[in-house]
Amino acid sequence: GQSRLSLGSEMRRETAPTTSFLYSSMKTTSALLLLAAVIVTLLSPVLSRLDLLMRGSDLHVHQSWEAHNRRSLDAGDIPLWNPYVYGGSPAMAELQSQTFYPPAILLRWLPLNEYFSWSIALHLWVLGAGLYLLARNIGVSRTAATAGALAMVLCGCVTQRLYLGHFTVLETYAWFPLAFAFARRGMTNGRLAPHPGLVAVLTIQIL
């Protein structure tokens, strides 16, 4: 009888971390899904219609670069030069061209209007998710981390970029919280080498 009690106690100790991990993962997934639902709801007018384009006074700049990328890639060429800007401009040296930016590659199969709408939705989610993970990493409660993520996505420094059409600035913003989260995790692990997640995030930002 005593051996059976000991065995049962050991099994409970072994399963406790797994149960805790699954519970934590479900809570995190729920928070990130809530964030996605809020973003999609707010952007639903442009996400649900092909004839509507995300507005912004400088959006035409990004439209022209993306249109040139698509023309060149469809023709089987790498867009090294853009002849439609001034008297011609190096395309690959232009940070706003985003030719090989991973999220742009992921969404480039969409029509141009949908491409920009879903790109903004994706980056708003990355921004909020990164802040949530950073907040949790420094010990903030789940409720406060979720509230902080929503506040970050809806704050004035973000929404003004949407209004002005500064999409590449917003896309750069989006990765900072995640970069800080990985940087902090790397420092707390006591490793000299940077965290692989930090290297990946900074590489995406550069592209």
Side-chain angles (χ1 to χ4, degrees):
Q2 186 175 0
S3 61
R4 284 198 296 269
L5 288 174
S6 298
L7 180 60
S9 177
E10 290 178 5
M11 290 178 64
R12 283 193 295 272
R13 284 197 299 269
E14 290 176 359
T15 57
T18 302
T19 304
S20 177
F21 172 77
L22 291 175
Y23 179 76
S24 176
S25 298
M26 289 177 60
K27 288 288 188 178
T28 299
T29 301
S30 298
L32 297 182
L33 287 176
L34 173 63
L35 179 64
V38 170
I39 293 170
V40 169
T41 300
L42 291 175
L43 298 181
S44 58
V46 291
L47 294 177
S48 59
R49 292 180 54 179
L50 289 173
D51 59 323
L52 289 182
L53 178 64
M54 185 80 69
R55 49 176 309 182
S57 56
D58 290 342
L59 177 59
H60 65 280
V61 175
H62 307 295
Q63 282 181 293
S64 64
W65 279 108
E66 181 57 25
H68 173 64
N69 284 337
R70 295 183 177 211
R71 280 194 298 266
S72 298
L73 293 172
D74 288 344
D77 299 325
I78 296 177
L80 301 174
W81 182 262
N82 188 342
Y84 305 105
V85 176
Y86 302 112
S89 174
M92 294 298 295
E94 171 57 57
L95 293 177
Q96 297 185 95
S97 66
Q98 297 188 321
T99 307
F100 298 115
Y101 181 52
I105 295 173
L106 179 67
L107 298 174
R108 194 159 278 147
W109 61 275
L110 291 170
L112 203 58
N113 286 8
E114 285 187 285
Y115 166 84
F116 283 107
S117 299
W118 281 104
S119 178
I120 290 302
L122 172 63
H123 284 87
L124 287 176
W125 183 83
V126 169
L127 175 65
L131 189 74
Y132 175 88
L133 295 175
L134 175 60
R136 291 293 295 151
N137 187 256
I138 62 178
V140 175
S141 69
R142 293 187 188 280
T143 302
T146 304
L150 291 170
M152 185 66 186
V153 167
L154 302 175
C155 73
C157 68
V158 172
T159 54
Q160 72 162 337
R161 296 299 179 182
L162 289 177
Y163 180 77
L164 295 172
H166 295 170
F167 288 177
T168 51
V169 176
L170 177 58
E171 290 164 356
T172 303
Y173 280 175
W175 298 100
F176 277 122
L178 200 57
F180 286 131
F182 283 128
R184 187 179 186 280
R185 181 168 294 183
M187 288 187 293
T188 54
N189 288 341
R191 298 169 53 184
L192 293 177
H195 192 284
L198 176 61
V199 175
V201 167
L202 294 181
T203 301
I204 290 172
Q205 279 191 310
I206 292 171
L207 292 173

